[in-house]
Amino acid sequence: MKDQELKQRHMQAGLTGDTDPEIVEIKAARPSARGGSGNWLAWWAIVVRITITMLGLSVCMSYLITETAFWGHSSKWTNWRNYIPRQKRVFTPHELSMHDGSNPGLPLLLAIEGDVYDVSSGWGFYGPGSSYSLFAGRDASRAFGTNCLSRKDHLTHDTRGLSEKELAGIKGWHQYFDNHQQYVKLGIVELDPVDPAAPIPPPCEDAKPRPK
């Protein structure tokens, strides 16, 4: 009986490619890897369904209580426009100038420190006839730091001679546009190099308030 049982084990080992009968017993007792992965996939599917359901309930409750989708929180992460796949565009100054609001069929754009943003949702602030329409269609970084909208020589990307406070103001406005709930970064503008020999714009004595 023992010889016959041993012979049967050897036959099983030969069919599976293993020479040790004990290996055959171990493999026979091992659970199927395919079945295990199937169970994991089923569990992950359940987790995903629960997560989506909870997010949906949270959005619905937020709209009922705060009339916003994310409990009053707003930033570029809650701006659905930022999740639309788009290739970053490189504008020339002339191309950017065409988006100053004079053509209602084109989006309203402005640039700060070389980054171009679509501010069409802020047409009331930057569109034609508004208080801050001078920012549209150009990179007027200097004016963002000096608050000077009454002098054309401040509507430039030339930031030479500005104080640390004024430069920090430009950075603050750059972050404002970058983290805005509705504005979207479209690309960059190829700015003309600033001639180091050109005169620095003089300080503005009649600065207007910053745009809001």
Side-chain angles (χ1 to χ4, degrees), residues 95-114:
E95 290 172 333
L96 183 61
S97 67
M98 298 171 63
H99 295 267
D100 61 353
S102 57
N103 184 348
L106 295 177
L108 186 65
L109 309 182
L110 63 76
I112 180 169
E113 294 190 304

Side-chain angles (χ1 to χ4, degrees), residues 103-158:
N103 184 348
L106 295 177
L108 186 65
L109 309 182
L110 63 76
I112 180 169
E113 294 190 304
D115 288 339
V116 178
Y117 295 89
D118 185 340
V119 295
S120 299
S121 60
W123 200 279
F125 294 108
Y126 305 106
S130 66
S131 301
Y132 309 112
S133 60
L134 294 174
F135 285 105
R138 69 178 83 202
D139 187 322
S141 296
R142 187 180 192 88
F144 277 110
T146 63
N147 306 323
C148 186
L149 305 183
S150 58
R151 295 178 58 101
K152 290 185 178 181
D153 55 359
H154 277 245
L155 300 175
T156 174
H157 62 281
D158 183 0

Side-chain angles (χ1 to χ4, degrees), residues 64-85:
L64 289 174
I65 298 173
T66 68
E67 297 184 354
T68 64
F70 299 98
W71 300 97
H73 176 73
S74 62
S75 71
K76 66 178 181 181
W77 306 114
T78 58
N79 185 355
W80 59 268
R81 301 169 186 82
N82 286 321
Y83 297 96
I84 299 177

Side-chain angles (χ1 to χ4, degrees), residues 32-44:
S32 172
R34 182 178 302 175
S37 62
N39 291 337
W40 275 108
L41 289 175
W43 277 109
W44 273 113

